[in-house]
Amino acid sequence: METPFTPRRGTIVGDARLAGLEEGFKEGFKEGFKEGRLAGKAEQLLRLMERRGLPLTQEARQRVTTCTDLPLLDLWFDRAIDATSLDEVFATPTSTDRVPH
């Protein structure tokens, strides 16, 4: 059975590897957190549109679930509160739109 290499503090190679692991963990955590926020916002938007009786097509579902822009998802959510159609929700943002940050 092969023993995996374990970097040790206090050595040049060990310190470099440990720093790389720590940086990788931080970046992975940030990315995972952002993906979780996106998924949560998309799920809530879809639920709101369903509850409001907006006709959710497969294209609309895909558009929401593949969106990677958090402020845009927030804008769509705000619009879906009063919208009577999907066209109103997904209309191109204008200069008068309040895009949440």
Side-chain angles (χ1 to χ4, degrees), residues 1-99:
M1 184 165 132
E2 188 175 317
T3 304
F5 173 77
T6 304
R8 302 194 189 291
R9 292 204 184 276
T11 65
I12 294 172
V13 172
D15 287 349
R17 286 190 180 193
L18 287 171
L21 289 173
E22 289 171 6
E23 185 63 30
F25 176 77
K26 289 177 188 174
E27 289 301 314
F29 182 81
K30 283 185 209 175
E31 187 64 29
F33 185 75
K34 181 179 178 186
E35 287 176 13
R37 287 187 65 205
L38 284 167
K41 285 180 184 271
E43 183 179 322
Q44 291 301 308
L45 174 57
L46 291 172
R47 184 167 184 234
L48 173 63
M49 291 193 299
E50 285 174 355
R51 295 281 303 198
R52 298 254 8 270
L54 297 173
L56 280 176
T57 62
Q58 188 61 30
E59 180 185 341
R61 285 182 183 279
Q62 185 173 5
R63 188 169 185 183
V64 170
T65 58
T66 60
C67 181
T68 59
D69 185 343
L70 289 168
L72 184 57
L73 283 171
D74 284 335
L75 176 64
W76 289 346
F77 186 91
D78 289 349
R79 287 176 172 177
I81 292 170
D82 299 316
T84 58
S85 71
L86 290 178
D87 289 339
E88 289 179 35
V89 174
F90 296 125
T92 303
T94 65
S95 59
T96 59
D97 281 320
R98 183 184 70 81
V99 179

